[in-house]
Amino acid sequence: MYRAPRGTADILPEEQAYWRYVEAKAAEACQLYGYQRLDTPLFEEAALFTRSIGEGTDIVTKEMYVFKDRSGKALALRPEGTAPVCRAYIEHGMDNLPQPVKLYYLAPAFRYERPQAGRYRQHHQFGCEAIGDADPALDAEVIHLACQFFTSLGLRGITVQLNSIGCRACRPAYVKALKEHYQERAGDICPDCKTRLEKNPLRLLDCKREECQQVADSSPRSTDYLCADCRSHFRAVTEYLQSLTLPFSLNHRLVRGLDYYTRTVFEVQPLAGGAQSALGGGGRYDDLIEQLGGKPAPAVGFAAGMDRVVLSLKKQGIAVPPLPSPGVFIAHLGNEAKTEAVKLAASLRAQGIGVVMATGDRSLKAQLRQADSLSAGYAIIIGDEEIKERKLTLRNMVSGEQQRLSAAELREALQRAA
Ligand code: HAM
């Protein structure tokens, strides 16, 4: 028996209302903040991700789905959405448009991770990217958009964590101090952190192992090493957030798992969040467009994990609007009635009325049971008597009330009910 690959899941019909709700709220938030949708391919040249996310990151070294196509080109399933958006910005000359260019996406992403609750090998992101502007007001606006999205869904207890990791001018001094701090305590840290110390020192701060907590907590803070420009940028971001009365907490251990970030980084945690629970995260990436071959264009963005959002909606017992059910079910008895049913279904659909027609030769009772389970508002019944009288029976599935009507009367009644 085949099963969905480990770490992936089918989104079954009964789950769809949650997903449509989240997508609608995402589109609504983007409309409010002036973002336009961009869809990029599911796969890209693998090098696009290696260059942007960073060669030493977990995503690139352990998690990316890389494959060769028949011409031998190395491609990768998209592990995240920022790099493809930047690639599209450069490819389509969007630097000629008024800046910033604000784009959003709803797209699956693929990472070969160890699956657990809220962590999958195929997950879905809602992401926003504002490219071409270094204004700290834009950082605050992106964080505000993220919070507006989560709260518009009805989620409670959302918290924002914020940090600044500086720029290429000031970060080296910070990384040096961080490495020295860890080198002095090399005997106290886990084997993974010993590797991180060599390969990706910022990620030391992310370690969840018990033995590393004290070393990480007592480590130097990136905000103490910011150059004058980064310091005033960060101060401005926090002031804008305060003027929006958007609560946030500074977390000097927040570094994020992708190398392209500069200055502002942030994460949104749900109520009672655990280690792997971020609902979303983002930050600035002022050098990425240039690194990918475009003209320098500072940028900021964020992405939310939609799978985790759906889990949180369920956990918090938030009801979502049900999806529309078919308005009408057609039940029939006998061959002649079935032909009438086929024609009637087509003519009602042509008028924009959703119809499910019974198939097979089940009893009227069984057919009406099906109408019930589909939550159809009305059932139309066609039997011998209806054929003889050239009429149809319309049954209100909620009240059980029935009327015998001509085709024209039926159309009118359904239009009135719509
Ligand atoms: P990220 O933090 O790697 O950032 O992913 C964004 C969000 O996607 C996470 O906060 C989480 O909710 C969700 N997510 C990530 N991996 C998984 C997984 N394996 N299973 C379920 N959910 C997951 C980025 O990808 C950046 N591109 C965000 C960004 C946009 N930064 C600037 N612009």
Side-chain angles (χ1 to χ4, degrees):
M1 253 244 295
Y2 294 113
R3 303 183 67 93
R6 193 163 130 76
T8 71
D10 300 311
I11 303 174
L12 295 169
E14 57 266 32
E15 300 275 303
Q16 293 289 338
Y18 285 100
W19 288 81
R20 297 292 87 75
Y21 176 65
V22 175
E23 286 167 7
K25 292 289 182 191
E28 222 170 272
C30 287
Q31 201 269 326
L32 285 175
Y33 290 78
Y35 284 73
Q36 291 182 302
R37 181 159 175 158
L38 171 72
D39 292 314
T40 63
L42 202 72
F43 57 85
E44 300 269 355
E45 274 185 58
L48 170 71
F49 297 113
T50 315
R51 287 199 75 181
S52 43
I53 300 169
E55 290 190 24
T57 58
D58 281 356
I59 297 181
V60 165
T61 55
K62 301 184 194 155
E63 298 170 2
M64 213 151 65
Y65 282 86
V66 183
F67 60 99
K68 289 214 159 113
D69 72 6
R70 286 171 191 276
S71 74
K73 206 174 194 53
L75 300 170
L77 295 185
R78 164 210 300 133
E80 61 102 47
T82 307
V85 169
C86 292
R87 194 262 311 135
Y89 172 91
I90 300 167
E91 185 175 336
H92 301 287
M94 294 190 208
D95 56 324
N96 292 319
L97 300 172
Q99 307 290 301
V101 174
K102 293 171 152 188
L103 301 164
Y104 82 95
Y105 47 91
L106 295 159
F110 305 85
R111 298 180 189 179
Y112 189 80
E113 295 199 76
R114 201 149 45 83
Q116 51 184 269
R119 202 207 276 172
Y120 312 104
R121 291 185 176 167
Q122 174 174 337
H123 70 280
H124 301 78
Q125 292 195 356
F126 156 45
C128 292
E129 315 291 351
I131 306 176
D133 201 326
D135 193 331
L138 199 55
D139 306 39
E141 191 187 82
V142 165
I143 297 171
H144 195 249
L145 188 171
C147 291
Q148 149 76 25
F149 165 65
F150 292 119
T151 48
S152 76
L153 290 162
L155 290 173
R156 300 174 297 274
I158 295 298
T159 57
V160 175
Q161 304 202 342
L162 186 69
N163 196 14
S164 173
I165 55 168
C167 64
R168 30 181 182 192
C170 57
R171 195 177 313 146
Y174 172 60
V175 171
K176 185 162 173 278
L178 186 67
K179 279 174 99 167
E180 281 166 8
H181 173 82
Y182 271 83
Q183 270 152 359
E184 283 161 20
R185 293 156 184 84
D188 302 337
I189 58 176
C190 72
D192 281 350
C193 277
K194 287 193 179 123
T195 315
R196 288 184 191 116
L197 184 52
E198 296 313 315
K199 294 209 165 135
N200 201 350
L202 278 187
R203 297 295 286 177
L204 286 162
L205 296 171
D206 241 7
C207 185
K208 305 290 184 295
R209 294 278 287 266
E210 187 62 43
E211 64 264 42
C212 300
Q213 298 312 300
Q214 218 257 311
V215 187
D217 281 337
S218 61
S219 66
R221 301 176 172 222
S222 55
T223 44
D224 292 333
Y225 289 79
L226 299 179
C227 59
D229 285 350
C230 286
R231 204 174 323 127
S232 72
H233 183 95
F234 192 49
R235 190 180 320 115
V237 174
T238 56
E239 283 169 4
Y240 284 126
L241 292 176
Q242 277 153 0
S243 74
L244 289 165
T245 62
L246 191 156
F248 61 90
S249 44
L250 297 178
N251 177 356
H252 82 278
R253 288 184 53 184
L254 179 65
V255 287
R256 313 265 306 128
L258 307 100
D259 281 356
Y260 49 63
Y261 291 112
T262 53
R263 296 187 165 172
T264 314
V265 287
F266 70 98
E267 263 178 16
V268 181
Q269 302 285 341
L271 193 66
Q276 293 296 337
S277 62
L279 283 178
R284 239 184 204 285
Y285 46 98
D286 288 344
D287 303 330
L288 182 55
I289 295 275
E290 190 181 357
Q291 255 172 41
L292 295 177
K295 278 190 238 141
V300 59
F302 107 102
M306 292 166 67
D307 314 72
R308 292 186 188 176
V309 168
V310 168
L311 283 177
S312 289
L313 289 173
K314 290 182 182 169
K315 217 190 251 170
Q316 295 194 10
I318 294 167
V320 299
L323 294 179
S325 45
V328 174
F329 184 88
I330 306 183
H332 48 82
L333 285 171
N335 283 342
E336 212 173 321
K338 190 167 182 177
T339 306
E340 282 309 310
V342 168
K343 290 195 294 189
L344 179 63
S347 100
L348 291 176
R349 286 173 186 143
Q351 291 168 55
I353 297 171
V355 176
V356 172
M357 192 197 92
T359 43
D361 306 302
R362 278 165 301 165
S363 69
L364 183 60
K365 203 165 153 201
Q367 293 183 47
L368 290 179
R369 248 201 320 273
Q370 190 189 353
D372 233 359
S373 74
L374 290 170
S375 307
Y378 290 92
I380 297 170
I381 303 165
I382 316 177
D384 291 342
E385 281 185 34
E386 284 85 356
I387 293 285
K388 221 183 299 156
E389 289 178 28
R390 297 182 155 273
K391 290 210 158 168
L392 304 142
T393 296
L394 180 67
R395 178 184 174 91
N396 182 319
M397 292 299 292
V398 180
S399 65
E401 192 189 319
Q402 296 199 164
Q403 292 169 276
R404 198 155 285 182
L405 304 172
S406 69
E409 288 166 341
L410 175 91
R411 217 158 288 150
E412 256 171 49
L414 289 178
Q415 256 149 17
R416 265 201 311 276

